[in-house]
Amino acid sequence: MPPPGPMVTVVALCHNHEPFLREALDSVLAQTYPHLEVWLVDDASTDGSPAILREYAAAHPAWHLLLLPENVGNCRAFNRAFGQSTGEFVVDFATDDVLLPDRLARQVAQFGALDASYGVVYSNAEHIDEQGNLLGRHYYPGAPAHLRPASGWVLADVLARFFISTPTMLMRRVCLAALGGYDEALAYEDFDFWVRAARDWQFGYLDAVTTRKRKHPRAMSARAYRAHDPYLTSTIRVCEKALALVRTPAERAALAVRLRWELRHAARRHRAAEAGALFALLRQVARPTPLDWALAIWSRALAGLVGWRP
């Protein structure tokens, strides 16, 4: 019998991941950590994924299977399983990625060395292509400061820059539950979770590669900022939440960095309405620069918007 340890819930989220699904699920089976609760969730795939999930669920009767009849998006699909799960720690596992065998054992051990104020442990990751070929790593030694991982109270860090490899996160259940799970009104989950969690919980970094993150054209991150994609609208909503959460000058300055970055992307992609919303938020956080004004006015003129005044 394995020694007692905290239960880890793995929510394996699938939407049209047929080419990658067996490798992903086999990586769950290969975990050296024995105390796992596995939920297989299919978000209305139109390929052969449901048949593969049924096969694995039949071979492993302790696993739970949720085949959703309609596509509800990552946040809602994850919450369906999270609300029924019981693990002390939770992994949001996209089934186009791969877990390395000792991932959960190492992350649970890391949590054991930290106090109860830590809500997240994350790590380094390898990036792979559709065929599984290595593309690189998320972090490299000696990287510039804005690319380095941060630990502790990281709200200003998560506002100002992207540094967490989302698939590597192990979350404490009470942290995620205190937030009410993922915000189902959003198109994606990670930035919102980081901001809301980092207000009240510390983040710990495990300096090890634990996950292989797959890069491919169908991934959600590859669609960000395209015309009519809801990603940018969700980001604005998260920034609105952040405005209510920031307390220190450093946090407000970090939010201004984020808003300027998103404003530039919105203007470059001709997302005029979103540029206007971002500029309005920026004015509540910091004094706009001449470039900020120029981008806002240019976006308004390009779209011919009536009634919006920077």
Side-chain angles (χ1 to χ4, degrees):
M1 293 288 291
M7 184 67 71
V8 174
T9 294
V10 178
V11 178
L13 285 177
C14 178
H15 179 67
N16 291 340
H17 288 163
E18 181 181 7
F20 320 118
L21 187 52
R22 291 184 184 278
E23 183 180 12
L25 298 182
D26 287 345
S27 79
V28 175
L29 291 170
Q31 289 302 296
T32 60
Y33 188 77
H35 306 292
L36 301 183
E37 176 192 50
V38 179
W39 287 79
L40 306 178
V41 184
D42 184 75
D43 193 14
S45 292
T46 57
D47 62 4
S49 296
I52 297 173
L53 293 170
R54 289 190 187 96
E55 174 191 329
Y56 275 76
H60 307 282
W63 289 13
H64 307 269
L65 178 63
L66 290 177
L67 300 178
L68 302 181
E70 60 180 358
N71 184 261
V72 298
N74 282 7
C75 295
R76 188 171 298 174
F78 174 87
N79 282 349
R80 296 277 181 90
F82 174 65
Q84 301 177 66
S85 65
T86 62
E88 182 177 341
F89 300 104
V90 183
V91 178
D92 178 352
F93 177 45
T95 54
D96 51 354
D97 297 327
V98 181
L99 307 177
L100 298 186
D102 62 349
R103 162 167 171 179
L104 296 178
R106 297 187 72 169
Q107 289 188 309
V108 169
Q110 180 86 343
F111 262 116
L114 299 170
D115 64 51
S117 67
Y118 280 80
V120 178
V121 165
Y122 71 101
S123 72
N124 205 346
E126 292 178 341
H127 295 167
I128 57 175
D129 64 14
E130 290 185 90
Q131 291 72 42
N133 300 310
L134 181 64
L135 300 174
R137 288 189 175 184
H138 193 77
Y139 305 112
Y140 282 98
H146 70 281
L147 298 176
R148 294 174 191 164
S151 291
W153 299 105
V154 298
L155 178 56
D157 292 281
V158 299
L159 285 172
R161 59 196 181 94
F162 288 114
F163 63 94
I164 297 172
S165 177
T166 302
T168 71
M169 293 194 304
L170 181 64
M171 299 172 282
R172 195 184 293 272
R173 167 175 291 278
V174 292
C175 168
L176 189 53
L179 303 178
Y182 291 157
D183 184 344
E184 297 183 4
L186 302 179
Y188 68 99
E189 72 292 337
D190 49 10
F191 182 37
D192 180 65
F193 171 76
W194 299 336
V195 169
R196 293 192 294 143
R199 174 72 284 162
D200 297 314
W201 298 84
Q202 296 196 73
F203 285 39
Y205 175 65
L206 173 64
D207 188 13
V209 173
T210 69
T211 307
R212 307 189 84 200
K213 175 179 172 58
R214 198 177 304 271
K215 301 279 193 176
H216 59 90
R218 297 182 300 282
M220 180 180 294
S221 58
R223 304 193 302 270
Y225 301 103
R226 293 181 183 175
H228 310 300
D229 187 271
Y231 184 100
L232 183 54
T233 301
S234 291
T235 298
I236 294 170
R237 176 63 187 129
V238 177
C239 290
E240 291 171 346
K241 295 182 187 183
L243 181 60
L245 293 174
V246 294
R247 298 172 185 166
T248 68
E251 290 168 356
R252 293 182 68 85
L255 179 54
V257 170
R258 169 69 59 181
L259 290 167
R260 287 190 169 104
W261 194 90
E262 298 294 347
L263 173 60
R264 283 151 179 72
H265 276 268
R268 184 164 62 88
R269 296 301 181 100
H270 301 170
R271 302 285 293 269
E274 291 85 353
L278 289 161
F279 185 76
L281 283 171
L282 178 60
R283 292 187 70 187
Q284 298 180 63
V285 177
R287 184 187 299 273
T289 67
L291 178 58
D292 299 331
W293 280 101
L295 288 171
I297 294 169
W298 178 79
S299 295
R300 178 193 178 194
L302 186 67
L305 291 178
V306 177
W308 177 74
R309 292 175 181 167

